[in-house]
Each structure stands twice: as structure tokens, then as C-alpha cells.
Amino acid sequence: MKLILRSSFTVLIALGTLCAQWAQAASPSPDQLQQVVDAAYARFKDVTDGKNADYIPILATVPSDMFGVVIATKDGKIYSAGELDYVFSIQSVSKPFTASLIMHEQGAKTLREKIGVEPTGLPFNSKLALELYPERSVNPLVNAGAIAAVSLVEASSEEERWRKVLGNISDYAGRPLNVLEEVYNSEYESAWSNRGIANLLYNYGRLYSDPEEALRVYTKQCSIGINTVDLAMMGATLANSGVNPKTGKRLLDAEDVPELLAIMATAGFYDESGEWMYSAGLPAKTGVGGGIVAVVPGKFAIATFSPPLNEAGNSVRGMKAIRYIAGELGVGLYGPNHEE
Ligand code: GLU
């Protein structure tokens, strides 16, 4: 009898400890959030691995030592360290947000049917993926799918298409954003690979506007200037079920948020998406400008800015900082991830 009582007691204590750990993971306190942001910044600020993107010539000139880390919660509170004001080009971090615009205006089904949701396991600008997959555009987070996504935005002119894309990304950030003209010119002048992708998609009937128009709007979208706080607020909108915490504006139906996060989880890091989910366990999106945003659904977003990239085109310090924060707070979707 005594033995039974003692083992029940042990089980209760173990359950209590687990619940306490879960509650802590579920709702880190403001102090914990600021501490973990400060710790991530201090831990990785001196890392110099990686190299700025240079296939878009102007990106090679962005100071490589800049490093910012921000958490924005679903109620709009900001916890930050490092570089917060520098305005960098959003690049591919824009892609899930234009996918969201398609879902919001035309339904999740349209995105799935007209673009696709398969991860490619191939680099972001792969032409091979376009030939291999019957959907051609494959998913909205690789270049092919993202160029197809801007072409799918309902618009009667290029100007209207662009205004809708810019307006939506500004709404996600919670303030009006603009194009960095120098980045746009540099990228459009060297956009031969993306031009090839747009033309191939058109050839296969998987582009829904004139190819050069889609290329211009896509390139402008990638050249939108943001800072690390904007990026965190964009992610916090997804953490807040599609409503911007700052403005209260709904940008995506709550029921479509899980599908968008699922695409980010499977394709947000291109051919490194498996590695990323294995080690961080969070849906996220990277850009060759050095930004990353990761979403802890229903809670908060973590954004980082650091220009040097690894071979797959993902920010080295940003990945380390987000993995560290996710690990310290135990917020990985499948439970705490232990391997870096
Ligand atoms: N604008 C870039 C391109 O099309 C985006 C790539 C990225 O950020 O991964 O090449």
C-alpha cells in the first residue's frame, strides 16, 4: 500500500514538473524574453562565418557586422538587442506574405492549385525544380512560386499589382514601407536567372500575367526596405492568427494561418529546410538580404538581421540566434530540440 502511495506521489511530482516546464515554455515572462534576446545577441555577435550575397551586386556592400535580434509578441510587445534601425531589403522574407495575400483574396485552395505547396529540396532559384515538378512553380517560397504569386494577384495594371503587394507587406509591418531604389536597380539589371524562370513558367501556363511585369513586381517586392522590428511585427501578425498586433487589421483568416505556417516549415529555408526544422522546430523564412523571421504560433515571432549567408543563402548568425532562443525557451513545435 505504502509502495503504491509512494509511486503515485512520484508520478504526481513528475507530472507537476512537466506541467511547470510546459507552462514556462508556453508563456515566457517579459524578463525571460528580454534576457534570452540579450543572451543570443551576446553569444553570437562576434561570429564572422558566412558571406554577404553578391549575385545581386549591391548586397555585397551592406556592412557585414550588423546584427539585430527582436522578439515581437502577439500583443505587440517588443524585446530587442543590437541593430534595430538599419533598413535592409526584405528579399525572400516577403514571399510568405504575398502568398498570404493570395490566400486572403482568392482562398487557400487557389494558392495550392495555381502555385503548389511541395518543398523542392533544391536551391531557391532552381530551374531544375521547374522541370521536375508538374506544378512547375512548386511552392510560393521559391523564386518560381513567388514570381507566380505576384502574377496571380488580381490587378488590372502593373501599378495596381505593385500597390497591392506593397500595401499588404506594409500592413504586415504595421507602417508604410518603400522600395530601396538602389537595390531594385541592382537586382533588376542582373535578373537574368529570374527572367528565365518567369519565361519558363509562362511557357508552361503557370504564370498569370505578362512575364516581364511579374518579374518587375517580384523584384520590387524583394527590394522593399524593412528593419528588424518591422520583420518581427510581420511574424507577430502570423503568431496572432493573422491580425497585426499594432494596427488590429486582419490580413489573413485565422483558419488559413496553419497552412501558411506549414509551407514556411517545409520550404522556408530552401534546400536546408529539413536541417532547420530538425534543429529549430519552428516555421520561418529567410532572405538573402540577411533577414529571418520565425513564428511561434499563438505566441510570438523572432526576427534577426545579419547579412553574411551560408551556402544555401541563409543568414548564419540569424539561424544560430533563433535556434538558441527556441532551445532556451523550449518553444520548438515538436518539443525542445536538443541538437544545434
Ligand atoms: N530577390 C532574390 C532573388 O530573386 C531573393 C532570393 C532570396 O532572398 O532568397 O534571387
Side-chain angles (χ1 to χ4, degrees):
M1 182 62 181
K2 243 187 193 167
L3 195 66
I4 295 177
L5 272 179
R6 197 180 300 151
S7 35
S8 316
F9 189 61
T10 315
V11 169
L12 275 179
I13 291 185
L15 272 177
T17 313
L18 270 180
C19 286
Q21 281 172 353
W22 186 83
Q24 197 184 29
S27 322
S29 69
D31 282 353
Q32 274 177 307
L33 291 172
Q34 188 56 53
Q35 276 161 16
V36 79
V37 165
D38 288 339
Y41 179 76
R43 204 176 173 97
F44 302 115
K45 74 176 169 19
D46 298 323
V47 171
T48 53
D49 299 345
K51 195 170 151 292
N52 284 30
D54 57 8
Y55 75 99
I56 299 169
I58 199 157
L59 295 185
T61 66
V62 178
S64 306
D65 57 341
M66 280 189 302
F67 182 37
V69 183
V70 177
I71 287 182
T73 60
K74 62 176 274 192
D75 53 2
K77 301 220 167 54
I78 300 288
Y79 303 89
S80 61
E83 180 54 64
L84 306 178
D85 298 327
Y86 185 85
V87 175
F88 55 96
S89 57
I90 187 169
Q91 298 296 342
S92 285
V93 192
S94 59
K95 292 171 177 170
F97 301 98
T98 297
S100 152
L101 177 62
I102 304 292
M103 287 169 128
H104 199 50
E105 285 196 345
Q106 302 177 42
K109 201 162 167 248
T110 303
L111 185 84
R112 190 181 191 172
E113 287 174 1
K114 296 210 155 179
I115 295 178
V117 295
E118 276 311 320
T120 63
L122 290 164
F124 65 94
N125 52 3
S126 175
K127 271 66 82 185
L128 181 62
L130 215 143
E131 296 297 340
L132 285 177
Y133 287 81
E135 299 90 352
R136 309 301 177 190
S137 41
V138 203
N139 75 64
L141 306 190
V142 291
N143 287 14
I147 296 170
V150 298
S151 80
L152 192 53
V153 171
E154 281 164 353
S156 53
S157 66
E158 181 169 341
E159 178 62 17
E160 187 187 358
R161 185 180 308 287
W162 163 238
R163 288 285 143 212
K164 282 176 85 168
V165 167
L166 177 66
N168 174 62
I169 291 179
S170 297
D171 282 348
Y172 262 102
R175 70 176 185 103
L177 300 174
N178 291 304
V179 164
L180 301 175
E181 291 295 339
E182 266 193 313
V183 175
Y184 173 70
N185 290 333
S186 179
E187 184 161 350
Y188 188 60
E189 276 163 18
S190 53
W192 301 107
S193 170
N194 286 338
R195 183 170 286 111
I197 289 173
N199 282 297
L200 280 173
L201 285 173
Y202 192 72
N203 174 57
Y204 284 123
R206 297 287 288 182
L207 198 76
Y208 310 100
S209 75
D210 168 72
E212 199 61 28
E213 173 178 335
L215 178 69
R216 270 193 298 268
V217 176
Y218 165 78
T219 310
K220 274 193 192 163
Q221 169 185 300
C222 291
S223 310
I224 291 172
I226 47 158
N227 62 35
T228 323
V229 176
D230 294 328
L231 199 51
M233 199 51 79
M234 293 173 76
T237 303
L238 293 178
N240 193 32
S241 304
V243 175
N244 183 299
K246 206 155 91 177
T247 63
K249 187 165 179 182
R250 175 165 293 286
L251 301 170
L252 185 60
D253 288 347
E255 65 178 36
D256 291 335
V257 172
E259 277 83 354
L260 185 61
L261 293 177
I263 303 173
M264 290 167 73
T266 52
F269 278 69
Y270 309 119
D271 40 335
E272 212 174 28
S273 299
E275 272 290 328
W276 174 253
M277 278 313 274
Y278 178 83
S279 59
L282 290 177
K285 185 70 201 86
T286 67
V288 293
I292 305 182
V293 64
V295 180
V296 182
K299 298 187 183 104
F300 56 85
I302 313 166
T304 55
F305 167 55
S306 169
L309 312 177
N310 65 13
E311 289 292 311
N314 300 320
S315 164
V316 177
R317 273 195 300 200
M319 288 172 78
K320 285 182 188 290
I322 296 173
R323 275 182 186 139
Y324 173 79
I325 292 173
E328 288 296 297
L329 297 177
V331 290
L333 294 193
Y334 311 111
N337 296 50
H338 300 291
E339 268 195 73
E340 279 206 1

